[in-house]
Amino acid sequence: MSRKAVLLDRVDAQLVDDVERAVRAAKALPSTRLSQTKLTPEASAELVRQLVARGLERSPKTIRVPLAAQIESLLQGGARVPLKDVGKRVKGGTKAELDAALAKFIREGHARVVVRTQVEVLVGPAERALDPTEIAHLSKTAAQVSKTLKKVQAKGLPRSILQEDLAALFAPLQPSLRLAATTPDQAPSMLVDEALRRLEDPALKLVRIPDLVRALSSRLSLDAIHRALAEGAKDGTLELRPEAGAEFLKPEDVPLCPPGPRGTVLSYARRVSP
């Protein structure tokens, strides 16, 4: 005679903690596979209620990290993600749900889609991109250049274009054409502070130093970033912290972190000044 499985009729904080941790690690889990322990319908409903209260999201088939939060995490540290890859990396949503979440995320100014060599790429709002007025001017300028080139390249005598005429065409776009290079009035400490403000966790106010380094890699050397962090820690405007445990730090992130006392690795920064 087979024995009936015993169903758990209540959920405790430890179970909710474990399930929440599993969902956040996987980004999404089927509602039917949240717990290895069999639950009564009432206990299962209570588990879902508590998970939603902790900021997770319920869909018809899954419990997931909210789609907007997943999209935002893709852009941490200044990452740039091909638009076609977003659907592969965001879990637990249908294509229609993801499209709607992405459109809302962009509409609210949290991200932009830019075209890089024919590839659509999702980038963070801090990236320097042309605004609609500049795009309109670029389109008009491209049409003018194309028309002029047809005459320049037509049969007959060799022809060219005056540099001053070409410069005049692109003059309205000059502010956007300047490279994002460090200028004398943009000291490394200023750039690091700007990046820390942009990347900091809204609740904990912490920034992972590997994310900071990657976000500034096109503008500052690793040594310059580490010097700016050390100066900030010395004058009390920054607090540098080690990882809670070495096992939590990825091997590729270790070289990006400055060394701390007694062989520690400083992997987090927090602004102390307002």
Side-chain angles (χ1 to χ4, degrees):
M1 182 175 177
S2 61
R3 298 173 58 188
K4 278 189 175 182
V6 178
L7 302 182
L8 192 66
D9 62 359
R10 59 182 294 276
V11 296
D12 57 21
Q14 185 60 58
L15 176 61
V16 180
D17 288 345
D18 292 343
V19 175
E20 180 187 6
R21 192 178 302 111
V23 172
R24 292 193 182 280
K27 299 182 183 177
L29 286 177
S31 300
T32 55
R33 291 172 49 198
L34 292 176
S35 171
Q36 294 181 350
T37 304
K38 298 293 184 181
L39 304 175
T40 63
E42 295 78 13
S44 181
E46 176 60 17
L47 174 61
V48 169
R49 187 192 69 77
Q50 291 198 38
L51 292 173
V52 171
R54 293 186 179 197
L56 296 178
E57 195 171 66
R58 182 180 187 178
S59 77
K61 295 184 178 181
T62 67
I63 299 296
R64 67 196 181 199
V65 175
L67 299 182
Q70 292 191 50
I71 295 169
E72 184 176 22
S73 70
L74 296 180
L75 302 176
Q76 287 297 309
R80 299 169 176 178
V81 184
L83 200 58
K84 63 181 179 61
D85 291 344
V86 173
K88 302 172 187 175
R89 297 173 61 180
V90 173
K91 307 297 182 182
T94 64
K95 184 179 185 304
E97 286 179 313
L98 177 58
D99 288 347
L102 189 57
K104 183 174 185 289
F105 197 71
I106 293 169
R107 188 168 59 249
E108 292 176 348
H110 302 308
R112 291 179 174 182
V113 175
V114 299
V115 178
R116 308 192 76 205
T117 61
Q118 305 302 309
V119 177
E120 292 180 306
V121 179
L122 189 69
V123 302
E127 295 280 5
R128 298 184 178 186
L130 300 185
D131 62 33
T133 301
E134 291 171 319
I135 290 291
H137 186 85
L138 179 62
S139 178
K140 182 179 178 181
T141 300
Q144 289 178 282
V145 170
S146 179
K147 186 177 180 180
T148 301
L149 282 175
K150 284 183 180 180
K151 291 188 177 181
V152 169
Q153 297 171 336
K155 292 181 180 180
L157 295 172
R159 305 172 186 85
S160 187
I161 303 172
L162 287 173
Q163 291 182 357
E164 63 188 69
D165 290 342
L166 188 62
L169 283 173
F170 284 94
L173 294 172
Q174 282 304 312
S176 299
L177 294 174
R178 296 192 186 100
L179 295 177
T182 303
T183 56
D185 62 334
Q186 286 182 301
S189 59
M190 293 177 61
L191 292 172
V192 167
D193 183 68
E194 289 173 3
L196 287 170
R197 292 174 185 272
R198 174 164 53 91
L199 298 173
E200 70 181 10
D201 181 277
L204 301 176
K205 304 300 181 184
L206 292 174
V207 176
R208 292 186 69 255
I209 291 177
D211 292 342
L212 175 75
V213 170
R214 292 187 178 100
L216 292 172
S217 61
S218 64
R219 308 180 74 180
L220 292 174
S221 68
L222 179 62
D223 286 343
I225 296 171
H226 284 184
R227 281 196 300 272
L229 290 173
E231 289 169 4
K234 185 177 180 180
D235 64 24
T237 59
L238 292 178
E239 177 188 356
L240 303 182
R241 299 183 184 180
E243 195 73 43
E247 68 274 13
F248 297 117
L249 195 60
K250 296 179 181 178
E252 61 269 26
D253 287 345
V254 175
L256 304 182
C257 300
R262 296 184 295 277
T264 58
V265 176
L266 301 174
S267 55
Y268 285 95
R270 184 178 73 88
R271 291 187 307 110
V272 177
S273 59

